[in-house]
Each structure stands twice: as structure tokens, then as C-alpha cells.
């Protein structure tokens, strides 16, 4: 079974590299490894488990900044993970900017992903402010 | 009176004939007269969506002013998994079963909104409820349902839960029925009756149930997005059901002024066909009633906007801030409608003696974006009033401050760091006034694993948002 190294990066600077099989989700592998990631539905509907792709092996690091539209690194997001089911909690604009639902995503390449509850809060702003 | 400790009590006859051998009270008036002052509260408490490595829990809060632990969380029933998002919950039996000998108001049905996991707690020991059964999400998904919301008991001992989505978190939602042994009985309604679902209330003597609409779980779970409003992904309709048949008889589209109709309440009097629903996004309250004289149909339901909260300008916001009335309740004597404007930071009470013409009685400006009171006992309030609960005698109104974790994060991000609070106002039902009780504060910011959010509140022996009469 092919596996990939997925490096999880928390906002406080902690990182952890987890080996994830192609047939398990990043959330499952992180749990087996004892790493705590937020989740809710585990079916791809709620977005609680959102991570943000920072770098794919072999491409230039984006220094943890949220990538903009048309960023070549991020366009690769659908090649970097395979989804078990439809990632319903993510809109096109989220997928285009590198967001990944870790509860249903399995890796297809070594990568670094920003994790933690703050990633979910990036998905939608206060529309009145 | 305690349902769990005196399940076989026989009430003296009041102004009606039926025998009272089961749980609850014979009439709403009996609940007011015989119900004791609330000494404990059960409160949904949650960590979902934060980095705190702990499951959600049910808090038991001491509300007895004579107790040494007044205003403290005296017990926390931790659930087995993380990620549930405890939200609304209910009893296995209420006053609607007061004729059912042997049935007790003893088990709390506690669903996880995000996980679709359903917990059953045995609350025979009111201070120390225990987890009894867990229905795992996979069992729920088998019925192509997810996102459990409102729990009411059916008068024969079964339990009905509104479910907001299908197994994938898309539409349609529906209703899940549990049997007396807390096993899934199946879907309650025939397929295809509704698309969106949210809260519901039933009035068995009138053979009617009313249900409201939020959105598909995939829409509201990630957070509130105006794009979804523009795309018509949020609800604006009320459904009136034949309670016996489980079929929708009439649907009323509330229009743009009725966007996101959330909590829906019938008056407690079982004869009444009047009720209210809060349209959160449009910041309006609608009155609905059965119009017996309807020319175009035999006793059709009508709905009319009766309260309109204006948006307010705020220097720090780009656009006028809507009030967002997210919860409403009706006092046990059916005299007052209470509600919370979560964004503005206001709790309010309207006299609904004439339900078509609610008259503003009083309000409190507390927390939220505009509240005059922004801290209690030096504790900053991170959000506005949200879930409310009223004492049976209508003299004490309590509220918590969390709406839904992902929505909290958008509008009150500080709540994740500070946690929720529970506050209280003393109500004078005779004068129609409210006063903030500054001595009362329960703080979820001090929970051992980290700050937690707090949501729905229930009393051990029945309350204004769960008891129904046959
Ligand atoms: S946990 Fe809900 S989308 Fe992943």
C-alpha cells in the first residue's frame, strides 16, 4: 500500500508528520498517531475538519500564506488528495484556494497542511462587517 | 414535584376530567401551581470545532440560591466521542403523557447536531444523570437522515426527532422516531413530505403539528454565507401537519420577511391553535393561527408578521446590523412571548394576550453588539443572549450565549476563547418588567478542559419549551 508523508502544522507552530496510507483519511491517520484534529460530521458536510494545503512535495513552499486565485501550487489540490465522498462543505472558491476536508481526504502526494480550528473559521466571514 | 421520584402520583382533578397518572402536570396551570422553583438546570455544553481535546458534555447547573454551589456547574456528563455539537435535547416523556401510567420523565435524549449520534441519559438521579445508551451515526444514516435537532416525546412513550438532512448532509430532512426502548423505530413521516426542516411543535388536541426550516446541513454547518441566501438555500416556510397521519396539510411561504424561521411554539393551552415563530434572518416574529372562517378553505392556517426588529447602524460594521432573533418562548400562562436578539444583544418580552397584536412589555440590553451591559461581575460577555428558558411561574428568565459553533466564530469569535455564560433576569409578570440579576452568573469559561460553549437549557421537571398537553 502506498503511503505519503503529511505534515500537519498548527497555528502555534507545532508540526507533526504522519504517514498516511492511500486508503485511509488524513483524519484517521492523525487519530491513530494521537494527534487531535477538530471534526464534526465525518461525512464531508460540516467543514469542521478543514485543513489548508500549504505545500506539495516538489513545489515551491507558500510560506503558510493563504494562496490566491490561480496559484499554481494550490490548483494541484485535487491531485494531492482523493476524496472518499463529495466534499460538500467546501464551495468551489474554497477548493480553489487550497482547503481540504481531512475527514474524507486521502493523500496522493507528500504535503504540508495547516490544521486546527482556525482553518474552519477562515471559510466564511461575517458578511456585515 | 419530581416526575422521576413520584411517577405514580395521582393529581387531584382540576378544571378537567382526565386522570393524571403519568409524567408531568395535568394542565399548564397545574405546572405553574404545582411545579417547584427550578433548582437545577441541564445545559448543552460543547467543545466541537475547537482544539480542546475533550468531548461535549451535559452540564448540571445549581440554581438553588440557598445552596453553597449556587451558579456552579455541579456535574458534567461527558459523552464518549468528540465532535458531536450538542445543541437541542428533550425528555422521553412530558405532560403530553400525563395519562400514561408507569411512564416517567426520566431519560434525556441528547443528539449531536454535527455527528448525528444520539445519546440517552438516565436522569433518575437528577443531580447525577448517567449515560445509558448511544445510537451511533451509522444507524441513523441507514434511514437516510442526519443532523438531529428538536426532540419531543409522542404521547404514547415514543420519541420524535426532527432531522435536518439526509445521510450526506443534503436535503431532504425528515423525522426519526425512537421507540420506548430508545431504538430507532424508523422514519415517522411518509417520504417526500418536506425538503427543509428545523424545529417543530405539536398540539395533539387540534391534531396539528407545525415545523419550520433552517437549511441543509451542508449549507449551515460550515457557517453563514450570504451567497447561500441569494441562492435560496435557506428556508422561509412553515409546514402544518396532520399530527395523526404524519402528512403535510398546508405550507405557508413567509416570503422575504420570513427568512430562516427557527423556533416555533404553539401556546401551551391545548385548545389553542395560535403560535409564533421567529424569522431569524429577517428579524421578524410571525403569529400563526387557524382561521376557522377562512373563505378559501375549511379552517386553513394563516401567518402574519407581528413584530419587526429594525437593523441598527454600528460604527465598526459596514452594513446595518440585523437583530437576529434566534430563540423565542411562550410563558406557561400563555401571556408573554420572550425572545433573544443575539446580534443586537437584547432579551425582550411582549404581552401576547391578544396574539395578533403583541404589545412590547419590556426588554434588556445586555451583551451582543449594542448591549448597555457588557460585563457581569467583571466578566466580559463575549456574545449576545441566545437560548432562553423561563421558570414555570414566569418569574425568572435564563439564557446562554452560544448559537452554533461555526456561526459563533463568525459573529463573536471571542466566545471561543472566553466561553459562554448563563445569565438571568427577574421577571415581574404582573407589571410586565424584567431586571437583570447581577448576582447570577454561570461561567463556561472556567471549565477544566478549557472554555466551552453553552446552548439549550432544560429544567428537570418540565419547562416552557418542551411540555405539551393532550
Ligand atoms: S468532519 Fe465534517 S466535513 Fe469533515
Amino acid at each position: 500500500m502506498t503511503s505519503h508523508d503529511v505534515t500537519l502544522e498548527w497555528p502555534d507552530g507545532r508540526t507533526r508528520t504522519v504517514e498516511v496510507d492511500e486508503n485511509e483519511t488524513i483524519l484517521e491517520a492523525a487519530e491513530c498517531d494521537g494527534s487531535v484534529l477538530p471534526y464534526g460530521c465525518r461525512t464531508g458536510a460540516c467543514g469542521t475538519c478543514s485543513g489548508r494545503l500549504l505545500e506539495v512535495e516538489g513545489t515551491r513552499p507558500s510560506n503558510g500564506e493563504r494562496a490566491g486565485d490561480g496559484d499554481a501550487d494550490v490548483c494541484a489540490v485535487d491531485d494531492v488528495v482523493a476524496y472518499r465522498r463529495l466534499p460538500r462543505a467546501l464551495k468551489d472558491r474554497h477548493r480553489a484556494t487550497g482547503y481540504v476536508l481531512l475527514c474524507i481526504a486521502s493523500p496522493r502526494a507528500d504535503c504540508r497542511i495547516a490544521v486546527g480550528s482556525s482553518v474552519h473559521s477562515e471559510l466564511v466571514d461575517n458578511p456585515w462587517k | 414535584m419530581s416526575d422521576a421520584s413520584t411517577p405514580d402520583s395521582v393529581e387531584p382533578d382540576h378544571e378537567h376530567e382526565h386522570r393524571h397518572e403519568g409524567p408531568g402536570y395535568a394542565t399548564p396551570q397545574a405546572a405553574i401551581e404545582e411545579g417547584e422553583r427550578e433548582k437545577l438546570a441541564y445545559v448543552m455544553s460543547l467543545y466541537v470545532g475547537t482544539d480542546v481535546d475533550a468531548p461535549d458534555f451535559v452540564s448540571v447547573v445549581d440554581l438553588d440560591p440557598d445552596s453553597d454551589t449556587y451558579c456552579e456547574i455541579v456535574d458534567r456528563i461527558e459523552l464518549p466521542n468528540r465532535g458531536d455539537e450538542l445543541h437541542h435535547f428533550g425528555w422521553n416523556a412530558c405532560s403530553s403523557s400525563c395519562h400514561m401510567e408507569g411512564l416517567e420523565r426520566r431519560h434525556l435524549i441528547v443528539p449531536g447536531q454535527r455527528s448525528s449520534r444520539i445519546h440517552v441519559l438516565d436522569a433518575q438521579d437528577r443531580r447525577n444523570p448517567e449515560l445509558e445508551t448511544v445510537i451511533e451515526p451509522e444507524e441513523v444514516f441507514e434511514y437516510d437522515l442526519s443532523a438531529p435537532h428538536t426532540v419531543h416525546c409522542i404521547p404514547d412513550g415514543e420519541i420524535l426527532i426532527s432531522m435536518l438532512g439526509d445521510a450526506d448532509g443534503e436535503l431532504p430532512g425528515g423525522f426519526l422516531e425512537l421507540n420506548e426502548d430508545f431504538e430507532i423505530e424508523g422514519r415517522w413521516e411518509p417520504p417526500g413530505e418536506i425538503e427543509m426542516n428545523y424545529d417543530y411543535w405539536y398540539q395533539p388536541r387540534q391534531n396539528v403539528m407545525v415545523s419550520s426550516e433552517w437549511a441543509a446541513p451542508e449549507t449551515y454547518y460550515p457557517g453563514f454565507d450570504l451567497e447561500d441566501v441569494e441562492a435560496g438555500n435557506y428556508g422561509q416556510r412553515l409546514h402544518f401537519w396532520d399530527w395523526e397521519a404524519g402528512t403535510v396539510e398546508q405550507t405557508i411561504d413567509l416570503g422575504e420577511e420570513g427568512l430562516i424561521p427557527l423556533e416555533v411554539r404553539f401556546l401551551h393551552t391545548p385548545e389553542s391553535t395560535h403560535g409564533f415563530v421567529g424569522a431569524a434572518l429577517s428579524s421578524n416574529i410571525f403569529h400563526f393561527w387557524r382561521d376557522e372562517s377562512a373563505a378559501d378553505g375549511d379552517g386553513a392556517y394563516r401567518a402574519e408578521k407581528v413584530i419587526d426588529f429594525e437593523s441598527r447602524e454600528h460604527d465598526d460594521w459596514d452594513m446595518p446590523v440585523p437583530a437576529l432573533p434566534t430563540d423565542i418562548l411562550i410563558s406557561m400562562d400563555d401571556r408573554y412571548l420572550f425572545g433573544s436578539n443575539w446580534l443586537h444583544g437584547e432579551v425582550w418580552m411582549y404581552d401576547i394576550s391578544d396574539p395578533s397584536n403583541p404589545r412590547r412589555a419590556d426588554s434588556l440590553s445586555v451583551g451582543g453588539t449594542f448591549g448597555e451591559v457588557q460585563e457581569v461581575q467583571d466578566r466580559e460577555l463575549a456574545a449576545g443572549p441566545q437560548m432562553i428558558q423561563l421558570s414555570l411561574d414566569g418569574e425568572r428568565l435564563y439564557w446562554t450565549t452560544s448559537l452554533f459553533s461555526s456561526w459563533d466564530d463568525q459573529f463573536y469569535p471571542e466566545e471561543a476563547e472566553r466561553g459562554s455564560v448563563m445569565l438571568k433576569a427577574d421577571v415581574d409578570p404582573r407589571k410586565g418588567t424584567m431586571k437583570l440579576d447581577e448576582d447570577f452568573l454561570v461561567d463556561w469559561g472556567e471549565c477544566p478542559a478549557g472554555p466551552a460553549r453553552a446552548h439549550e437549557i432544560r429544567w428537570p421537571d418540565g419547562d416552557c419549551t418542551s411540555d405539551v398537553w393532550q
Side-chain angles (χ1 to χ4, degrees), chain A residues 27 38-50 89 101-104:
Chain A
L27 179 66
Y39 64 85
C41 70
R42 301 183 80 113
T43 65
C46 76
T48 314
C49 64
S50 294
L101 297 181
L102 305 179
C103 71
I104 51 168

Side-chain angles (χ1 to χ4, degrees), chain A residues 31 36-41 43 45-46 48 85 88-89 91 93 116-117 120-121 123-129, chain B residues 48-51 53 82-83 114 168 170 218 221-228 316-320 322 406 410-411:
Chain A
E31 284 178 332
V36 173
L37 296 181
Y39 64 85
C41 70
T43 65
C46 76
T48 314
R85 352 175 57 217
R88 294 178 170 81
K91 297 189 169 156
R93 68 174 198 263
S117 61
H120 182 211
S121 347
L123 294 183
V124 271
D125 298 321
N126 179 340
W128 288 286
K129 211 161 177 172
Chain B
V48 75
T50 70
D51 295 319
D53 182 19
R82 289 192 293 121
R114 273 178 209 263
D168 293 321
E170 298 182 316
E218 62 171 348
Y221 275 159
F224 174 71
D225 189 346
L226 273 184
E227 255 184 29
D228 287 314
D316 298 340
W317 290 53
D318 297 335
M319 296 210 286
S406 43
Q410 279 176 279
F411 298 105

